[in-house]
Amino acid sequence: MKHTFEPKDSFHLSDGEIDDLMLHSGTYEKDASEETRKEWRRAYRKVETFSNKQIAKHGSVEAWYESGEGRLI
C-alpha cells in the first residue's frame, strides 16, 4: 500500500505531520530517537518560518515562485 502525505495545513505542520513527512521521505526510520526527531522538527520549523515569511512578502505561493526566491518542489 502506497503511503501519501497530506497535511491539514501545508503552511504550518504539526509535530506529528513533520514526523510523517520525515518517515515518508526516508529522512529517518520509525525507530529514530526522540532527539533525532526533535532535531529534524527544529530544522523543518526554521525553513517553514522563512518560507512562510517569503510567501507573505510576495502575496501568494505562485508569486513567490515567480519571483525567483521560491524553493523548488
Side-chain angles (χ1 to χ4, degrees):
M1 180 175 179
K2 185 177 179 182
H3 183 286
T4 58
F5 176 71
E6 298 178 25
K8 292 178 182 166
D9 174 359
S10 60
F11 293 104
H12 304 95
L13 300 187
S14 68
D15 287 352
E17 289 172 325
I18 293 171
D19 287 339
D20 286 347
L21 177 60
M22 296 303 136
L23 290 168
H24 180 70
S25 65
T27 301
Y28 56 70
E29 299 294 323
K30 288 183 181 186
D31 61 352
S33 70
E34 185 58 29
E35 186 56 36
T36 296
R37 292 170 185 267
K38 285 180 182 179
E39 287 177 31
W40 280 102
R41 288 180 202 138
R42 280 191 294 269
Y44 182 89
R45 294 269 183 240
K46 183 177 178 181
V47 173
E48 179 183 64
T49 298
F50 175 79
S51 298
N52 286 340
K53 285 179 182 177
Q54 291 294 308
I55 291 166
K57 172 184 162 186
H58 292 284
S60 71
V61 173
E62 292 81 11
W64 179 49
Y65 287 132
E66 290 170 0
S67 76
E69 294 181 30
R71 296 181 181 276
L72 298 177
I73 293 180

